[in-house]
Amino acid sequence: PKCSARRSQVPQNVFFFLLLQGWGESGSDSDAVVGDGAGDRGASIGGNHGSYRGLRKFLTLGLCSIKRMREAYLLDTLTSIFEQSSQDELKEMVVVVHLTDADRKWNSQMALEIARRFPDQLHQGNLVVIHTPLEYYPPLEGLKRNFNDPEDRVRFRSKQNVDYAYLMNFASNLSTYYLMIEDDVHCTKHFLTVIKRNLASLEGTSWVTLEFSKLGYIAKLYHSTDIPRLARFLMLFYQEMPCDWLFVHFRLLLTQKEEIRFRQSLFQHIGHYSSFQGTRNRLKDEDFEEDFSKFPDNPPADIITDIGTLQNHIPSKAYSRVIGYFWGKAPSAGNSFTLIFKQAAPIFRIQIYTGSQAYPDSYLHEGLVALGTHKLHTPRARCANYVTIGHFAKGNFDKQSLESTTTSDPHCVHILVTNTQTETLIINNISIWIKPKV
């Protein structure tokens, strides 16, 4: 097929080349297709994905990869994704790798190496490898130098925008959610389960982009229904600015004004050298947490407090999985901050941090924590019985082995101020772990 003349749009007659895929025409397993990108079976960008068949998944992880001048990380990234996921989690995800180097020989060799390393993932429908020929790309020479960047950098970042646009169009109908990652990352154990928990905590909330890393365009989650628009947006403005800037503009245009980034990052950047000219790049995400056991459960709860709120730092921000905090007026003895669970929860650990680096004196100077049972269904919900489990030390509280503290599963976690203070109070983070079901 001939390429569309409208280079600012995603051409509707472009065919991707499926370098590797694990389904035949009827949906049954077949040998993985391996090709050189010059005449393989194709998948249309317009929504009909050619020979690609499979059940719609929960999550697509999309990444692009090119030949690097120094170290290569793609195979390590794929290994991390699959090794850090359980068999049940793998059933709900598919990884789409877009090999985008101009060197067809490298694309073919990398596809063969992926086939050799990950045959089971290909046959089970967890991995697909695609390539889009450069003949379908818009012009990559004589581009605008909006930020006075060198021509080679402008060409690199502009092509990268188009790489992502084609990747997203291919992947737009494979799953409910789409996660953008890079080809040089390491994953948290059970990252898909953590993503599901965090999505559940935002039920009823409108969002465009959720962020599971603080770095660039690593671990940005979208509704798959928004992906075709994002792909067209990247193609329309491909030469204007880098893709991570375009992602922010897309979010703002769809009226999500503030970033929604979760407290623990799920993906860590492992590359030492950039894919652009092999320049040194040792970026690390300090919020990355690999240990799944350190991710709290935070069961659904209502929050009641008689401490006055400052600005928009509402009480729920202290308990949210999203970065934020509660900021209250200076509390007096007897003031409280109480979580009332929707359902009683078998709590075995509670961790509470107060204060912040910006306001080091705004911590809880004196206070205790109690667990409450027998929720009273009164106009102001509360628990009938409380058992004190400990006091704050230098503004923080962390206690484990709480399973047998109360005669029945607690309905409430009660923070009580035991002495008046003149400084404001910041409750930075409340984390609660519940005992796993046997």
Side-chain angles (χ1 to χ4, degrees), residues 23 52 55-61 78 80-96 121 124-128 174-177 179 181 187-193 195-196 267:
W23 291 290
Y52 184 89
L55 295 175
R56 185 177 175 89
K57 307 282 188 175
F58 173 79
L59 180 69
T60 298
L61 291 87
L78 294 176
S80 178
I81 291 172
F82 297 129
E83 288 187 350
Q84 298 288 68
S85 303
S86 68
Q87 288 302 310
D88 286 340
E89 289 169 331
L90 288 173
K91 291 176 183 177
E92 299 191 75
M93 74 171 77
V94 58
V95 180
V96 180
Q121 289 80 4
Q124 293 165 6
N126 297 126
L127 178 61
V128 181
L174 304 182
S175 59
T176 304
Y177 298 99
L179 185 71
I181 62 173
C187 312
T188 294
K189 189 78 172 176
H190 301 307
F191 64 87
L192 184 136
T193 297
I195 289 173
K196 280 191 162 187
F267 296 84

Side-chain angles (χ1 to χ4, degrees), residues 327-331 360-363 365 420-426:
W327 196 1
K329 297 178 180 179
D361 293 328
S362 292
Y363 65 93
H365 294 197
T420 300
Q421 62 186 63
T422 57
E423 295 81 5
T424 60
L425 174 62
I426 290 176

Side-chain angles (χ1 to χ4, degrees), residues 331-345:
S332 301
N335 284 153
S336 63
F337 188 104
T338 305
L339 303 177
I340 304 175
F341 300 121
K342 305 290 186 181
Q343 296 181 341

Side-chain angles (χ1 to χ4, degrees), residues 104-176:
R104 285 182 172 177
K105 184 177 180 181
W106 179 87
N107 293 329
S108 181
Q109 290 175 341
M110 179 54 68
L112 287 166
E113 182 61 20
I114 291 172
R116 186 184 70 83
R117 292 275 294 270
F118 305 102
D120 293 340
Q121 289 80 4
L122 285 162
H123 287 299
Q124 293 165 6
N126 297 126
L127 178 61
V128 181
V129 182
I130 65 171
H131 168 68
T132 310
L134 280 176
E135 65 188 87
Y136 295 113
Y137 278 59
L140 296 174
E141 303 294 341
L143 302 174
K144 291 161 54 175
R145 297 174 60 189
N146 290 343
F147 309 102
N148 203 31
D149 284 340
E151 290 185 7
D152 56 349
R153 176 172 285 277
V154 173
R155 185 183 190 278
F156 175 85
R157 74 173 189 227
S158 299
K159 177 182 176 296
Q160 191 175 53
N161 285 332
V162 183
D163 294 343
Y164 283 128
Y166 283 132
L167 168 64
M168 290 177 176
N169 263 273
F170 179 87
S172 63
N173 198 36
L174 304 182
S175 59
T176 304

Side-chain angles (χ1 to χ4, degrees), residues 133-408:
L134 280 176
E135 65 188 87
Y136 295 113
Y137 278 59
L140 296 174
E141 303 294 341
L143 302 174
K144 291 161 54 175
R145 297 174 60 189
N146 290 343
F147 309 102
N148 203 31
D149 284 340
E151 290 185 7
D152 56 349
R153 176 172 285 277
V154 173
R155 185 183 190 278
F156 175 85
R157 74 173 189 227
S158 299
K159 177 182 176 296
Q160 191 175 53
N161 285 332
V162 183
D163 294 343
Y164 283 128
Y166 283 132
L167 168 64
M168 290 177 176
N169 263 273
F170 179 87
S172 63
N173 198 36
L174 304 182
S175 59
T176 304
Y177 298 99
Y178 177 90
L179 185 71
M180 173 65 69
I181 62 173
E182 294 187 41
D183 68 345
D184 56 351
V185 298
H186 184 81
C187 312
T188 294
K189 189 78 172 176
H190 301 307
F191 64 87
L192 184 136
T193 297
V194 177
I195 289 173
K196 280 191 162 187
R197 286 182 184 178
N198 290 346
L199 285 170
S201 74
L202 294 178
E203 186 175 359
T205 302
S206 177
W207 57 269
V208 177
T209 309
L210 301 182
E211 303 184 19
F212 293 91
S213 170
K214 67 192 296 185
L215 299 179
Y217 41 90
I218 296 175
K220 304 299 183 277
L221 186 75
Y222 299 90
H223 297 277
S224 290
T225 51
D226 285 333
I227 289 301
R229 282 190 290 182
L230 179 53
R232 290 192 292 270
F233 185 77
L234 290 174
M235 186 68 83
L236 185 63
F237 298 104
Y238 78 100
Q239 64 176 306
E240 304 298 334
M241 61 187 70
C243 55
D244 47 339
W245 295 10
L246 287 174
F247 290 157
V248 173
H249 282 289
F250 182 78
R251 167 173 64 78
L252 293 172
L253 285 168
L254 270 61
T255 70
Q256 181 187 316
K257 295 181 180 180
E258 303 294 334
E259 71 172 25
I260 303 176
R261 181 163 68 86
F262 292 92
R263 296 181 187 273
Q264 294 103 341
S265 295
L266 302 183
F267 296 84
Q268 178 64 283
H269 181 256
I270 61 172
H272 296 151
Y273 300 96
S274 169
S275 54
F276 175 67
Q277 295 186 340
T279 54
R280 200 164 186 83
N281 179 9
R282 290 187 175 274
L283 288 175
K284 293 296 179 184
D285 189 336
E286 300 85 358
D287 296 331
F288 174 70
E289 179 54 68
E290 185 173 9
D291 186 351
F292 178 72
S293 68
K294 293 184 179 180
F295 287 82
D297 298 292
N298 282 23
D302 296 318
I303 300 176
I304 294 176
T305 184
D306 54 3
I307 302 171
T309 301
L310 293 174
Q311 300 176 16
N312 66 336
H313 299 282
I314 58 178
S316 61
K317 290 188 175 182
Y319 190 59
S320 174
R321 299 171 191 268
V322 176
I323 290 176
Y325 56 89
F326 166 68
W327 196 1
K329 297 178 180 179
S332 301
N335 284 153
S336 63
F337 188 104
T338 305
L339 303 177
I340 304 175
F341 300 121
K342 305 290 186 181
Q343 296 181 341
I347 296 172
F348 76 85
R349 183 183 182 186
I350 298 176
Q351 186 180 74
I352 305 170
Y353 293 117
T354 69
S356 71
Q357 290 184 341
Y359 300 95
D361 293 328
S362 292
Y363 65 93
L364 182 54
H365 294 197
E366 295 184 43
L368 61 81
V369 178
L371 294 180
T373 56
H374 303 101
K375 181 166 65 173
L376 301 176
H377 298 281
T378 58
R380 185 179 177 86
R382 58 188 179 87
C383 285
N385 304 312
Y386 286 99
V387 175
T388 299
I389 58 173
H391 292 74
F392 281 81
K394 297 182 180 179
N396 298 325
F397 180 90
D398 191 349
K399 192 157 188 178
Q400 304 187 46
S401 302
L402 299 172
E403 302 94 315
S404 303
T405 304
T406 54
T407 55
S408 60

